[in-house]
Amino acid sequence: MMSFLPSGALERKDTIRALRLYGTRVFIVGNPMVYTAGFFIFLAGMTAHDLHTALLTQGLEKALKHANVFNAAIAATFIQNCLQTHSGNQIGASQAPTIPGLLHAEARAAALTSIVAIIALAGLLAWSGLPLHDTLFYTLLNTVPAVVQWYAPPQQTSRRVKGIMTVIGVTLLLGLVLLTFATDFPLWALTRPAVLTIPADLAMMSLLTAAIMTLPNRLHSPAMLAPTDGVTASAPEFAMPDSAPRVAPQDLSFYQLRQMLLSPASPTSQRNDLLISLIMPASIILFMGSLPLGHGSFGTRIAHLTPGMTILIALQDGWISNRKHWPLLLTTGRFGSRLSFVRAVFAAKASRIFMTASLRTLSLMLPVTLFKPLAPTHALLDGVELLVAMLGVTFCCPLPFLVMKQPPQGIIVAASIAPAFLLQICNPFILGTRIFGPIALALAALGALCFFVVPSRMARSDWPYETE
């Protein structure tokens, strides 16, 4: 692994040049996570303010019930995603290996920016009155999965080792999710003594930096990194056409054909859609509630888990952010005009969400109703409000097209991700039915407006193939 610190004047200049790109148009354009990260950094600031106010009159345990520090954890995750996307864009070009010092300079710049961003985010949380070493410890713990995402083993590494790294990364991510939702993890992480957190902070920061410094291995093989004589070059390898006979795909149902407008690569059958929607939320909640984590009875753990699990029913499938297949499907002539095609996409999404949303909501509400226990009338009202809000936020994803003629891809991605997190921090379990009811109706009205107005605006916008 290369050294983190530049060894000479030329390497320092290259690193400074790479650092100057952060925050510029080069960093923002082509980086769809920027706006999402900025949104959650803003929410983390609001959380710090709420904590600061609450800590003036009560202890940390009670204060955390009124402030969602999970926003800071999500902000830390999206910050790393932003840095990974920018670094990949910089070294991903075919000419990147021919530019002396570029790969190492981008790795150093990403590592330095990551350190500064993590310390700044921890400092933002520390503004609430919590010790900096504790907020840094909490922030770094939430970046542990990013270590595996950053780490790029050498190209000659066996598939077995790469597979092990993937399993470790998934395990770390799932473990962090379990700790976050099934226990008092934020309270534990923010109350550790300095004798524990300071060495742990240094170790985790060093580990993350070391993983970032392997960045040049990510996209280029050693042969591409090796210097050439400037005259000869290896011939590019082109994929030869496959002469083997192709097996005709299995006939698709009408439901699958319609869903190809949303995801042409993997259209879901109606049966699988129904089963997943009905089983997944309840199964995950019951599984996490049965683990020996947290405090209280099984019903108490279920009640603690349910508000955070609303993300399971609000996750979107990228039906608006991924539109590269639209021009190709339009040229088939099966949908008529551009406006008719966009309306067909919205109709396909409506047919799917009206079927699956009710099942997901039912699956989410069943455990908390059976084991909390929650009064059936109260559970019914919570479920109806949650369903109305979910239908509304689904069609709020194309909201950028309502206010902009050609919104950047980053804003579209942020609008596609926002509904899941919006319902996680704003739902009837947290706000109560009296407050959330009007919010759900407002979201439904906004979603209806987008459903009827946005298609005509999207039909008039540009439909690039691979340039979004």
Side-chain angles (χ1 to χ4, degrees):
M1 186 183 68
M2 63 179 172
S3 172
F4 169 66
L5 296 176
S7 59
L10 183 58
E11 289 188 353
R12 285 195 296 271
K13 290 182 180 179
D14 291 338
T15 303
I16 292 173
R17 189 179 298 111
L19 282 170
R20 287 175 177 171
L21 296 178
Y22 286 85
T24 64
R25 181 175 175 81
V26 175
F27 177 75
I28 297 175
V29 175
N31 198 337
M33 296 297 176
V34 168
Y35 299 97
T36 308
F39 173 72
F40 280 102
I41 291 173
F42 170 77
L43 290 182
M46 297 296 294
T47 298
H49 177 268
D50 293 341
L51 269 178
H52 176 74
T53 304
L55 288 174
L56 295 176
T57 57
Q58 54 192 348
L60 179 59
E61 183 175 2
K62 291 185 178 180
L64 287 176
K65 295 180 180 180
H66 303 287
N68 190 3
V69 294
F70 186 64
N71 294 328
I74 297 297
T77 300
F78 278 110
I79 286 173
Q80 296 300 318
N81 291 338
C82 283
L83 299 181
Q84 290 172 4
T85 303
H86 174 72
S87 302
N89 291 340
Q90 290 299 104
I91 70 172
S94 58
Q95 67 272 21
T98 65
I99 303 176
L102 174 65
L103 302 181
H104 294 171
E106 290 297 336
R108 292 190 181 95
L112 286 171
T113 307
S114 175
I115 293 173
V116 173
I118 289 173
I119 294 176
L121 184 60
L124 184 62
L125 282 180
W127 172 57
S128 64
L130 296 172
L132 178 61
H133 62 85
D134 281 336
T135 58
L136 185 59
F137 181 64
Y138 175 73
T139 304
L140 283 168
L141 280 175
N142 285 283
T143 60
V144 167
V147 173
V148 183
Q149 295 173 3
W150 275 110
Y151 177 69
Q155 294 293 327
Q156 62 270 21
T157 303
S158 64
R159 291 184 178 180
R160 181 180 179 182
V161 174
K162 294 181 180 179
I164 291 174
M165 294 302 301
T166 302
V167 171
I168 293 175
V170 173
T171 303
L172 288 173
L173 181 60
L174 292 178
L176 187 62
V177 170
L178 286 174
L179 288 174
T180 300
F181 290 108
T183 67
D184 295 326
F185 171 67
L187 178 64
W188 178 86
L190 293 171
T191 55
R192 296 304 91 194
V195 67
L196 170 66
T197 56
I198 291 178
D201 292 343
L202 294 175
M204 287 189 289
M205 189 75 80
S206 300
L207 185 63
L208 178 60
T209 302
I212 296 175
M213 296 305 292
T214 64
L215 183 66
N217 297 334
R218 181 177 297 273
L219 299 176
H220 303 290
S221 64
M224 296 178 67
L225 293 173
T228 62
D229 55 9
V231 178
T232 60
S234 58
E237 296 182 0
F238 297 98
M240 299 299 293
D242 185 8
S243 58
R246 297 184 178 181
V247 179
Q250 185 179 4
D251 291 339
L252 298 177
S253 65
F254 174 76
Y255 181 83
Q256 289 176 296
L257 289 173
R258 196 173 191 182
Q259 298 312 307
M260 287 185 69
L261 290 169
L262 308 177
S263 179
S266 56
T268 307
S269 66
Q270 188 173 17
R271 182 183 62 180
N272 291 342
D273 237 355
L274 290 172
L275 290 176
I276 292 174
S277 300
L278 184 60
I279 295 174
M280 184 185 69
S283 300
I284 293 177
I285 292 175
L286 292 174
F287 169 73
M288 294 178 66
S290 63
L291 295 176
L293 301 172
H295 306 287
S297 63
F298 179 72
T300 302
R301 294 197 295 269
I302 291 295
H304 176 73
L305 281 169
T306 303
M309 290 294 103
T310 53
I311 192 174
L312 296 176
I313 70 172
L315 287 173
Q316 300 297 315
D317 52 9
W319 66 288
I320 286 296
S321 58
N322 183 17
R323 309 187 310 279
K324 294 178 181 179
H325 58 284
W326 283 21
L328 183 60
L329 292 179
L330 178 65
T331 57
T332 62
R334 298 175 61 90
F335 303 96
S337 64
R338 289 164 63 103
L339 178 58
S340 299
F341 176 84
V342 179
R343 285 176 175 169
V345 173
F346 275 66
K349 183 61 180 178
S351 68
R352 184 180 188 185
I353 197 64
F354 276 96
M355 180 188 69
T356 60
S358 56
L359 295 178
R360 290 186 185 183
T361 306
L362 175 64
S363 181
L364 179 76
M365 296 301 301
L366 276 178
V368 72
T369 305
L370 295 176
F371 297 103
K372 187 179 178 180
L374 189 66
T377 54
H378 192 184
L380 179 62
L381 185 57
D382 285 351
V384 170
E385 290 184 352
L386 199 57
L387 175 61
V388 170
M390 181 181 171
L391 295 174
V393 297
T394 297
F395 292 103
C396 287
C397 293
L399 183 63
F401 288 93
L402 192 63
V403 296
M404 304 174 68
K405 182 179 180 180
Q406 191 72 32
Q409 182 69 1
I411 294 180
I412 298 173
V413 171
S416 300
I417 297 174
F421 294 101
L422 176 63
L423 287 189
Q424 188 182 17
I425 63 178
C426 177
N427 56 62
F429 308 110
I430 297 176
L431 301 180
T433 54
R434 291 186 178 180
I435 298 178
F436 186 71
I439 296 177
L441 292 176
L443 291 173
L446 184 60
L449 177 66
C450 291
F451 181 84
F452 290 106
V453 176
V454 168
S456 60
R457 298 181 65 88
M458 293 188 71
R460 295 192 298 268
S461 65
D462 293 333
W463 290 8
Y465 284 87
E466 300 289 342
T467 57
E468 290 188 332

